[in-house]
């Protein structure tokens, strides 16, 4: 029997799209939440590539490859920092960023060709649609959906309110 004194972390699902400027803006909130809660809050990247962004689906797959190589959020931040460039350059930028982070860029290239992460991205997108996610970023915590695609004003405070309540148990 595992007698752990710390309760299991609260899960915050972040429906994100790597060609979305609003998701870039949301990184500051995520950093602040990580700072405040540490490992009591499990921030999970969920993919919701939008059709209007033609490189978003490949970027979601690339983020999964970065996760597999141990640098998921680092990669997400690096790509979102160059969101306009991704719009212009496309997939070569995804491989370039991997190399800059010391990841196996060749493996990224292969992953994008063989589609090994497509099922994860598709499953996230389907779940997002079922939860009525329409834009990014969208947060789901404690069964509540918070839409940051229109405005992120006050969302971090709301997430903290819910997390505090759930952690208090």
């Amino acid at each position: 029997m595992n007698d752990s004194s710390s309760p299991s972390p609260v899960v915050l699902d972040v429906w994100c799209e790597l060609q979305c400027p609003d998701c870039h803006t949301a990184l500051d909130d995520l950093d602040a939440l990580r700072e405040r809660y540490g490992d009591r809050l499990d921030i999970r990247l969920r993919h919701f590539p939008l059709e209007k962004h033609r490189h978003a689906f490949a970027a979601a797959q690339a983020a999964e490859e970065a996760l597999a190589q141990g640098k998921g959020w680092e990669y997400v931040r690096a790509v979102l920092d160059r969101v306009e460039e991704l719009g212009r350059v496309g997939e070569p930028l995804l491989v370039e960023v991997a190399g800059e982070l010391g990841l196996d860029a060749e493996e990224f290239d292969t992953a994008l060709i063989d589609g090994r992460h497509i099922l994860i991205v598709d499953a996230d997108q389907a779940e997002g649609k079922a939860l009525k996610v329409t834009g990014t970023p969208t947060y789901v915590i404690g069964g509540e959906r918070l839409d940051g695609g229109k405005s992120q004003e006050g969302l971090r405070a709301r997430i903290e309110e819910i997390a505090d309540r759930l952690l208090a148990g």
Side-chain angles (χ1 to χ4, degrees):
M1 187 170 136
N2 183 2
D3 184 23
S4 172
S5 56
S6 60
S8 57
V10 169
V11 173
L12 172 65
D13 280 332
V14 182
W15 302 88
C16 182
E17 201 241 43
L18 297 192
Q19 223 181 320
C20 168
D22 290 332
C23 287
H24 182 263
T25 309
L27 289 173
D28 289 342
D29 279 343
L30 295 178
D31 287 344
L33 290 165
R34 276 192 192 91
E35 183 79 23
R36 177 171 174 168
Y37 294 102
D39 56 9
R40 295 180 304 147
L41 184 67
D42 181 11
I43 300 176
R44 297 193 311 196
L45 174 66
R46 306 300 300 273
H47 303 288
F48 202 76
L50 302 166
E51 281 177 22
K52 66 181 179 182
H53 292 141
R54 64 193 183 107
H55 305 298
F57 194 78
Q61 293 176 69
E64 279 301 312
E65 181 57 33
L67 204 61
Q69 292 190 32
K71 290 191 176 177
W73 280 108
E74 228 178 300
Y75 184 82
V76 166
R77 173 177 296 282
V79 173
L80 284 171
D81 280 345
R82 296 165 73 175
V83 72
E84 286 175 14
E85 193 180 345
L86 176 59
R88 289 193 314 274
V89 178
E91 291 185 25
L93 179 74
L94 299 172
V95 177
E96 183 184 315
V97 169
E100 287 167 6
L101 291 176
L103 297 167
D104 184 340
E106 214 170 285
E107 199 56 38
F108 266 78
D109 209 23
T110 307
L112 289 171
I113 293 165
D114 71 20
R116 68 184 72 159
H117 301 296
I118 285 178
L119 290 177
I120 294 170
V121 177
D122 281 347
D124 274 3
Q125 199 164 29
E127 189 180 333
K129 284 179 179 162
L131 291 168
K132 307 219 179 333
V133 171
T134 54
T136 56
T138 295
Y139 307 92
V140 177
I141 181 171
E144 192 169 329
R145 178 172 45 87
L146 306 166
D147 183 357
K150 294 176 182 67
S151 165
Q152 296 181 58
E153 192 64 43
L155 281 191
R156 187 168 90 207
R158 183 73 188 117
I159 290 168
E160 289 174 352
E161 199 180 293
I162 296 167
D164 289 343
R165 188 184 71 227
L166 293 171
L167 288 165

